[in-house]
Amino acid sequence: LERIKKGDFNSGESSKPDGILEINSDYDHDKEARATMQNEIKQNKGYSGASRNCATYAREGVRAATGNSEISGEESIMFSSFVTPNQLYKDTKSQNNVNTVVDAENKTDYMIDERVNLKKQVK
């Protein structure tokens, strides 16, 4: 966590994380989160940028770790709902057992709209 706070973060992607949240959980919730994530991998439901993406996968672990199965992480984009990293961050941040390590409220707000608008312009 200390390395991540200092910006020493290597995720294999070309950008640093927009925000970092720390979920304070207990052993049982940690165990459940791990089992949930492993089960998601075993089920191999496939990948779809819109319906089964990295945020969809992460949401299942967040739900198990926080103990809140109601976290949606969904936002409406062009008349459809999608799990997005931005909304998952916001929904997770609002939980009682979550601390903000690096807040990215301003940066994450524009990113999804920027990408949607870019797609509209390209057509």
Side-chain angles (χ1 to χ4, degrees):
L1 188 57
E2 290 303 317
R3 287 177 42 213
I4 292 171
K5 284 185 197 177
K6 293 176 186 172
D8 183 12
F9 181 81
N10 183 7
S11 68
E13 296 186 20
S14 61
S15 61
K16 296 188 183 301
D18 295 330
I20 303 168
L21 301 173
E22 178 184 29
I23 299 172
N24 298 305
S25 64
D26 56 28
Y27 176 79
D28 291 332
H29 283 102
D30 287 349
K31 187 176 173 182
E32 177 65 25
R34 181 180 178 155
T36 298
M37 302 307 283
Q38 288 176 336
N39 189 45
E40 285 287 310
I41 293 168
K42 282 181 188 176
Q43 289 182 9
N44 192 17
K45 297 175 184 176
Y47 182 88
S48 167
S51 61
R52 289 277 322 148
N53 56 45
C54 58
T56 309
Y57 170 76
R59 175 180 66 182
E60 300 313 311
V62 167
R63 285 175 168 176
T66 60
N68 183 351
S69 63
E70 300 298 314
I71 293 174
S72 94
E74 293 182 9
E75 62 179 300
S76 294
I77 302 169
M78 299 192 304
F79 309 109
S80 296
S81 290
F82 304 97
V83 179
T84 65
N86 300 338
Q87 194 59 49
L88 182 58
Y89 174 88
K90 291 175 185 177
D91 290 354
T92 304
K93 181 181 173 181
S94 69
Q95 303 303 301
N96 291 334
N97 60 335
V98 173
N99 296 323
T100 303
V101 176
V102 175
D103 195 8
E105 203 59 39
N106 295 329
K107 185 174 181 183
T108 57
D109 276 344
Y110 80 86
M111 289 186 75
I112 191 69
D113 290 337
E114 187 78 15
R115 289 183 182 153
V116 169
N117 290 333
L118 181 62
K119 283 183 180 181
K120 285 180 184 177
Q121 293 170 1
V122 171
K123 290 182 180 179

